[in-house]
Amino acid sequence: MKKWFSFIFIIISIYLIFSLNYNHNYTDNQFNVIKDKIELISWIFSSLMGIISFFALFIGYSYENKLINSATLLRQIYLPFTLTLDEIRQNMMNYEKDMYGDKLIKFMYISFLIVSCLTILVWGTAVGFYTKYKFPSSIHLDIEDSINLGIYAVFLVLCILLIGVTVILNKIRFYKNPLDKGYLPTPSKLCDIDFLADENNKHIEELMFKSAPILEFYKNHLKKDPTYEINLYFPIKWKNYKFVLTLYNEDRITIFKIYGLLKDIQYIGEKYTVSLTDNCPERVYQSLDGVEGELKIYNSKQNIISRLFIIQEKHSNKYNFKTNRIIQSRDRIDLDKQLIERLEEEKVHYSIS
């Protein structure tokens, strides 16, 4: 409703036209003076409307192409099956650039709205002055009735065109999606898990799969006695992102669990690393062979939006745990939900069994 509030000024202009008194009897001299003023102001508004309309349509066309590009990027982000992680991040950054608020389209909309309201008011007053809004009362039209109907028709077409262009500019101003219903989301919403989870036309699990965090256990040889570090790396940081990552051994016994909340972002597509500890027990590091796990991703309402299988990648001095595939099944009772229910501040916790 807020998007269309400005149209109240057009309604006011139309109301003022019909609230004027057109039945006043003017002398010939008065009539000629008013007629000359109407012709002058009509000429001025005709010139002004020509200039404003040209720029409005030109700018509207340019921004329509910009919105088409943004909508195309949005579809690719929503359906990232053929995209790499770097391509997803780049599309998000390009989307933010295209959606950056531009004052030019807002200025043009306000200018066109003001001119449209004044044009409807002035020309509507002129139509009322010449015709006194006398509509034919029978199907047999005389010359005066026919001319009046022509004047009304031209004025109606003018109003429709002005309102139509205003509607188009208003939709562009609020980033109407030219390829789908509704409006394009802001870049901030595009990074919000709650928004993504509420949209039914997105494959959010695929997006979460390709941007899932990587858990790293690192053996530091730089010291006399090796130390063991644990880091959690997010290729893309999301808003309102709650997660629980569990590692278990071959006997399905949990050996490590990490959970937390990512609440805010500084910029679109940013990377984020959490250093959990640089003093991990050696026994934990030595027990990582053959370990697998799963990652559960939640929205702020603690609803699971994605469940992913975690596998191990072993290197000379570290273990990396990455997502391998999407788990389609859901547990009837999710005990891990209790870990994240009370999280309100951005923080990551972990526990070692």
Side-chain angles (χ1 to χ4, degrees):
M1 187 64 182
K2 183 180 178 180
K3 294 182 176 69
W4 304 100
F5 177 78
S6 56
F7 277 74
I8 191 173
F9 296 104
I10 292 180
I11 297 174
I12 292 174
S13 299
I14 297 174
Y15 170 78
L16 291 175
I17 293 171
F18 294 99
S19 64
L20 297 175
N21 180 17
Y22 298 102
N23 296 319
H24 182 75
N25 293 322
Y26 297 98
T27 64
D28 291 341
N29 185 48
Q30 289 176 326
F31 182 87
N32 291 330
V33 171
I34 295 176
K35 178 182 176 182
D36 292 339
K37 289 182 178 178
I38 289 176
E39 290 177 352
L40 174 61
I41 199 169
S42 296
W43 178 82
I44 293 173
F45 270 97
S46 296
S47 303
L48 185 61
M49 280 305 304
I51 297 172
I52 294 293
S53 298
F54 172 79
F55 282 107
L57 293 175
F58 176 77
I59 293 173
Y61 177 77
S62 300
Y63 275 83
E64 183 73 10
N65 290 335
K66 187 177 179 181
L67 293 183
I68 290 175
N69 184 58
S70 299
T72 302
L73 291 174
L74 187 66
R75 281 190 174 182
Q76 293 177 356
I77 296 170
Y78 286 170
L79 304 170
F81 298 102
T82 60
L83 299 181
T84 64
L85 178 62
D86 288 338
E87 289 172 336
I88 293 173
R89 181 186 293 108
Q90 188 62 49
N91 281 357
M92 294 175 67
M93 295 170 66
N94 291 339
Y95 181 84
E96 180 188 26
K97 182 176 65 176
D98 285 347
M99 291 291 291
Y100 183 76
D102 200 313
K103 296 180 180 179
L104 181 59
I105 188 66
K106 296 179 181 178
F107 172 77
M108 182 54 62
Y109 172 77
I110 294 174
S111 300
F112 193 84
L113 177 65
I114 293 173
V115 173
S116 297
C117 292
L118 292 176
T119 301
I120 292 174
L121 178 60
V122 171
W123 287 359
T125 303
V127 170
F129 177 76
Y130 283 112
T131 67
K132 299 185 184 299
Y133 284 112
K134 292 181 179 180
F135 295 93
S137 57
S138 66
I139 60 174
H140 301 289
L141 302 179
D142 56 23
I143 295 178
E144 184 180 1
D145 291 337
S146 300
I147 294 176
N148 287 347
L149 282 178
I151 294 174
Y152 300 149
V154 171
F155 178 66
L156 179 62
V157 170
L158 171 70
C159 292
I160 292 174
L161 289 175
L162 291 177
I163 294 174
V165 175
T166 307
V167 169
I168 293 173
L169 289 176
N170 190 57
K171 287 184 176 181
I172 294 175
R173 183 170 68 111
F174 287 103
Y175 305 109
K176 176 70 174 67
N177 191 335
L179 303 181
D180 206 346
K181 296 180 181 179
Y183 292 82
L184 295 172
T186 62
S188 178
K189 282 187 176 180
L190 189 60
C191 296
D192 193 331
I193 293 298
D194 289 340
F195 174 79
L196 293 174
D198 287 340
E199 296 293 295
N200 297 322
N201 60 338
K202 307 181 188 64
H203 293 264
I204 187 172
E205 288 191 336
E206 184 69 18
L207 189 59
M208 294 297 100
F209 171 71
K210 292 193 172 181
S211 62
I214 300 172
L215 181 62
E216 177 189 80
F217 289 80
Y218 176 72
K219 183 178 180 179
N220 189 351
H221 292 282
L222 297 179
K223 299 180 180 180
K224 181 178 180 180
D225 296 322
T227 59
Y228 302 89
E229 302 176 9
I230 305 177
N231 301 308
L232 185 64
Y233 167 68
F234 293 87
I236 297 178
K237 189 180 182 184
W238 302 97
K239 294 176 61 177
N240 298 315
Y241 182 99
K242 291 186 175 183
F243 68 95
V244 177
L245 193 159
T246 305
L247 299 182
Y248 47 79
N249 58 23
E250 296 177 349
D251 298 324
R252 303 293 293 184
I253 297 175
T254 299
I255 63 171
F256 185 84
K257 190 181 288 287
I258 180 172
Y259 60 95
L261 164 65
L262 305 184
K263 192 170 184 180
D264 298 305
I265 60 172
Q266 292 183 341
Y267 56 89
I268 305 300
E270 71 172 292
K271 302 177 182 180
Y272 184 64
T273 301
V274 181
S275 180
L276 299 174
T277 181
D278 59 359
N279 191 28
C280 173
E282 182 179 2
R283 63 174 178 83
V284 175
Y285 185 86
Q286 299 299 336
S287 66
L288 292 177
D289 278 334
V291 168
E292 297 176 335
E294 74 170 359
L295 170 67
K296 296 178 184 178
I297 301 172
Y298 304 77
N299 60 13
S300 61
K301 296 179 181 179
Q302 286 71 247
N303 296 323
I304 293 181
I305 61 172
S306 186
R307 187 181 179 191
L308 307 170
F309 184 67
I310 302 291
I311 61 170
Q312 172 195 121
E313 287 185 358
K314 184 177 180 180
H315 303 274
S316 58
N317 63 333
K318 67 178 180 178
Y319 289 90
N320 283 346
F321 291 89
K322 299 181 176 180
T323 54
N324 175 256
R325 60 180 173 84
I326 298 172
I327 302 175
Q328 300 295 342
S329 62
R330 298 285 190 270
D331 295 330
R332 292 186 177 181
I333 300 176
D334 183 16
L335 299 179
D336 290 330
K337 186 183 294 186
Q338 299 175 0
L339 297 173
I340 60 170
E341 281 181 337
R342 297 182 180 179
L343 292 179
E344 295 182 359
E345 298 182 357
E346 181 167 303
K347 196 169 184 180
V348 176
H349 307 264
Y350 71 94
S351 62
I352 302 173
S353 302

